[in-house]
Amino acid sequence: MLAILHPNTALDSAEYRQTMHYLENLPGVSVRVHEVQGATQRLTEIYLLGDTKGLNKEEIEALPAVERAVRISDDYRILGRHKDDRRQSGFTYNGVEFNQSNLNIFAGLCAVDVPEHVEMMMQALEDNGQVCTRMGAYKPRTNPYSFQGHGKGCLPWVFEKAGKHGIKVIAMEITHESHIEEIDTCLEKLGRPTGVMLQVGTRNTQNFELLKAIGRQSTYPVLLKRGFGITLNESLNAGEYLASEGNANVIFCLRGMKTEAGQPHRNMVDFAHVPAVKRLTRMPVCVDPSHSVGTREKSPDGILDVMHATAQGVIAGANMVLVDFHPKPEKALVDGPQALLMHELPAYLEDIHLCHDTWKKRQAIYQRLKDNASE
């Protein structure tokens, strides 16, 4: 069962203390508290886990700090959608809103290489009105001799340049829990010129100890990539690992499935699952067309496959796009052949916004259909 407190309930108030005293003394029930910071208010959600079938919903709702109670199913208890569940989807971080209705674009370097390229990328983003990017400092690689990323050595100048160009959120993959402290220490030392969204790569989707470590901190939101060789259900449960430890500010990223059936693309593009994830959970959904397609091949219409894949995801309702760009792909240390070029950025952004507007118009069509059917 889930008890949702009145908005902005103070944790030191008498109402909160009385409510918690009652809940913490329920036999056979454990209590987990989650704070959800929205754009205009803070919500406190209290999850009652264990033997909750006998709990009286009305009694819980009668507690002084409780606004309403919701019975939850076993699947995706924290991040999932449940009957009579009117909780908001998404969160606000460093002034940027992430939810199941809006769209944020994270164009940037798959792997940070030299300061010059980071500067060029962020300047282009600023020139095109963007406040988010991707910058890979830690890179898990299949080949142990391949470039593994500059690690904490590049963090100071990446964060400083982000602040200089008004970048508010950087998606940055981590591969070990020590990376959280490295990022936090560097940001704090620099006066937090930007924000970071911790990215869990496809190889670590079932690295449960890493998921728990990331979930135990609430400073940074999380971008969780789907595991490339496991089911959607298994990947969504990875999100629950994060949320069950306390961090429910999670975005789920579709990045393609590893199968020979996906050829000639690098992976089988799975963006048809965008509406499925939004139906099953309250998480905003991201698409990563670069790692799904993996090439710069184009169709006879002159449009790159990666751009077509992006359109498929956005028209289906994606809320975030994670995409590789590079000023000089021939010099990129990771995934240069799939990177989009700087002069393509304005057209790519225009295409994405066109697709997002089309999704909104599609919504309106079916809303009218629903309204007409109810008359």
Side-chain angles (χ1 to χ4, degrees):
M1 180 175 286
L2 166 64
I4 301 172
L5 306 191
H6 295 290
N8 299 317
T9 296
L11 303 188
D12 59 354
S13 66
E15 292 81 5
Y16 179 81
R17 290 195 298 269
Q18 183 178 344
T19 297
M20 288 300 294
H21 177 76
Y22 179 90
L23 297 177
E24 288 173 343
N25 285 280
L26 290 171
V29 174
S30 62
V31 176
R32 291 189 180 179
V33 179
H34 290 257
E35 297 291 319
V36 182
Q37 182 61 56
T40 59
Q41 62 185 13
R42 176 180 53 80
L43 293 178
T44 303
E45 301 175 349
I46 302 177
Y47 290 84
L48 308 177
L49 306 176
D51 185 14
T52 62
K53 292 182 179 179
L55 294 182
N56 186 296
K57 182 172 179 287
E58 287 71 25
E59 288 183 5
I60 301 298
E61 291 180 329
L63 294 171
V66 176
E67 180 182 64
R68 65 185 187 278
V70 178
R71 290 200 177 275
I72 58 179
S73 63
D74 289 335
D75 291 335
Y76 325 129
R77 294 186 181 186
I78 298 174
L79 296 174
R81 291 188 178 276
H82 308 289
K83 185 179 179 181
D84 301 323
D85 187 355
R86 303 189 303 278
R87 288 177 295 165
Q88 67 181 29
S89 67
F91 55 91
T92 299
Y93 170 65
N94 204 28
V96 181
E97 188 172 357
F98 300 91
N99 59 49
Q100 287 196 343
S101 298
N102 72 349
L103 177 66
N104 292 288
I105 302 166
F106 284 65
L109 309 184
C110 182
V112 171
D113 43 28
V114 296
E116 176 189 7
H117 294 157
V118 173
E119 173 73 22
M120 293 170 67
M121 185 72 242
M122 291 189 180
Q123 180 67 64
L125 293 171
E126 182 182 19
D127 292 344
N128 285 275
Q130 300 302 298
V131 296
C132 299
T133 189
R134 66 172 304 171
M135 290 283 158
Y138 309 93
K139 300 302 298 182
R141 306 299 301 279
T142 302
N143 188 329
Y145 307 110
S146 298
F147 175 64
Q148 307 285 318
H150 289 308
K152 67 178 181 180
C154 72
L155 297 182
W157 44 271
V158 169
F159 294 159
E160 287 175 343
K161 291 178 183 300
K164 171 185 173 182
H165 292 288
I167 300 299
K168 296 183 178 181
V169 186
I170 301 173
M172 183 171 285
E173 182 174 358
I174 65 171
T175 60
H176 191 274
E177 63 179 290
S178 63
H179 298 159
I180 304 172
E181 183 177 356
E182 291 177 1
I183 289 170
D184 191 63
T185 299
C186 185
L187 284 173
E188 186 64 26
K189 184 177 180 179
L190 295 174
R192 299 194 178 274
T194 188
V196 170
M197 179 178 291
L198 302 178
Q199 182 178 314
V200 178
T202 187
R203 294 172 177 83
N204 279 315
T205 302
Q206 291 192 302
N207 183 344
F208 301 121
E209 295 308 312
L210 177 61
L211 295 176
K212 290 176 184 177
I214 295 174
R216 283 192 291 268
Q217 63 80 39
S218 58
T219 303
Y220 306 105
V222 187
L223 177 64
L224 174 68
K225 284 199 170 185
R226 177 181 185 166
F228 56 30
I230 60 177
T231 67
L232 180 63
N233 176 65
E234 290 169 324
S235 292
L236 293 178
N237 272 310
E240 279 293 297
Y241 265 94
L242 295 163
S244 67
E245 293 292 333
N247 191 345
N249 290 345
V250 183
I251 297 174
F252 189 79
C253 181
L254 297 166
R255 47 84 65 212
M257 299 295 293
K258 197 173 186 66
T259 167
E260 295 300 316
Q263 294 183 352
H265 292 158
R266 181 175 178 180
N267 294 290
M268 175 69 79
V269 181
D270 55 351
F271 296 172
H273 275 157
V274 168
V277 176
K278 293 172 74 172
R279 180 179 70 250
L280 293 169
T281 79
R282 297 179 297 115
M283 288 186 285
V285 181
C286 174
V287 293
D288 178 350
S290 298
H291 290 83
S292 297
V293 173
T295 71
R296 282 186 52 83
E297 296 296 328
K298 64 177 63 174
S299 64
D301 60 16
I303 302 175
L304 295 174
D305 286 6
V306 69
M307 294 175 175
H308 275 303
T310 302
Q312 292 164 20
V314 176
I315 284 181
N319 312 113
M320 176 174 162
V321 177
L322 188 74
V323 59
D324 292 0
F325 273 79
H326 200 285
K328 298 179 180 179
E330 69 279 5
K331 295 185 178 181
L333 299 178
V334 177
D335 288 337
Q338 72 187 25
L340 297 181
L341 308 178
M342 304 307 296
H343 75 272
E344 295 170 329
L345 180 61
Y348 185 72
L349 295 173
E350 181 181 358
D351 190 5
I352 287 178
H353 290 303
L354 174 66
C355 293
H356 189 57
D357 289 341
T358 300
W359 171 69
K360 292 178 181 178
K361 292 177 181 178
R362 293 178 63 225
Q363 275 190 304
I365 291 171
Y366 292 102
Q367 184 61 49
R368 289 197 301 270
L369 182 65
K370 178 181 178 181
D371 293 343
N372 292 337
S374 63
E375 291 180 354

